[in-house]
Amino acid sequence: MLRSRKYREHTRVMKKESSLYKNAYTEGIPQEEIDRLRTFRYPDAVSLEILGNMRGKRVLDAGAGARAGIAEYVEKSGGTYAAVDVQARMLQALQEDADARRTEIKRVQGRVEQLPFQDNSFDMVHVRFVLMHLPPRERAQAIQEFTRVAKEKIHLLEFNWGTVTSEANPEETKEFEKLFTLFSSLVGAHQQIGAELGELVRGVLKESGSR
């Protein structure tokens, strides 16, 4: 069982091979729990199902993080992949994972609320577990930026734990929810933003006059 005291008393000694993952989202969390969370394939499976056929599509992974599963899928589907993340260390880890998968990626360091791309640079923008880490004003700015650079679609993935289920593997989903909720509370993320996402997006688009 996970106990909060374990996190307060942790000495923050990281394994060398995982040092690139240490950032504002994981500092102070035991490496064994970071490694365990990263074994779950549930988030990638959801993303891949939503993305569908990527042939000929230009895809931006905003707040990409350190795993190249999306990049590998996009490339194998015949699309082109670009990643943007505020953390240089995360981009380096992403590149290493992409190299291990023999996957080509373009990576750019930047903030999602000030994307360093021209209008309509991508057919699709994929954003997962990013808005939950941003203050309200930056969330609105990020959504406006996604609409600016996306020509066709924007996929915003944030959990609504009231609706998350899995017939295939319910126990793994429950375990993932437990770990994810704990991580969110430790880093001060908005745990219930998924339930509010539709209203948030509609409000931002109405205020900005975007499509």
Side-chain angles (χ1 to χ4, degrees), residues 24-25 62-64 84-87 110-115 125-146 156-158 180 184 187-194 196-197 200-201 204:
Y25 300 155
V84 62
D85 199 288
V86 70
Q87 293 280 345
R111 305 186 65 85
V112 293
E113 62 269 33
Q114 294 178 321
L115 290 173
V125 176
H126 171 266
V127 191
R128 188 175 72 196
F129 308 155
V130 174
L131 296 180
M132 64 183 293
H133 293 288
L134 301 177
R137 182 176 179 180
E138 280 73 13
R139 282 183 210 135
Q141 292 174 339
I143 292 170
Q144 290 173 353
E145 283 291 273
F146 301 150
L156 298 175
L157 283 73
E158 301 285 349
F180 192 89
S184 299
V187 301
H190 187 345
Q191 298 181 36
Q192 303 301 326
I193 192 172
E196 307 168 7
L197 191 57
L200 170 63
V201 171
V204 171

Side-chain angles (χ1 to χ4, degrees), residues 29 47 54 67 69 88 94 97 102 111 130 141-142 161 164 170:
I29 298 173
S47 291
M54 295 286 96
R67 286 175 56 174
L94 177 68
D97 193 30
R102 298 183 180 180
R111 305 186 65 85
V130 174
Q141 292 174 339
W161 294 113
V164 172

Side-chain angles (χ1 to χ4, degrees), residues 36-48:
R36 190 151 69 98
L37 183 64
R38 283 164 40 205
T39 65
F40 289 100
R41 302 304 175 187
Y42 179 75
D44 276 355
V46 172
S47 291
L48 301 189

Side-chain angles (χ1 to χ4, degrees), residues 138-201:
E138 280 73 13
R139 282 183 210 135
Q141 292 174 339
I143 292 170
Q144 290 173 353
E145 283 291 273
F146 301 150
T147 63
R148 181 181 65 80
V149 303
K151 186 177 181 180
E152 297 179 7
K153 295 181 180 180
I154 305 166
H155 297 292
L156 298 175
L157 283 73
E158 301 285 349
F159 276 118
N160 178 354
W161 294 113
T163 62
V164 172
T165 59
S166 173
E167 295 181 1
N169 199 336
E171 292 303 318
E172 178 175 321
T173 303
K174 288 181 181 179
E175 183 67 9
F176 180 81
E177 177 182 356
K178 182 171 66 175
L179 276 171
F180 192 89
T181 301
L182 178 57
F183 275 38
S184 299
S185 65
L186 289 171
V187 301
H190 187 345
Q191 298 181 36
Q192 303 301 326
I193 192 172
E196 307 168 7
L197 191 57
E199 182 178 354
L200 170 63
V201 171

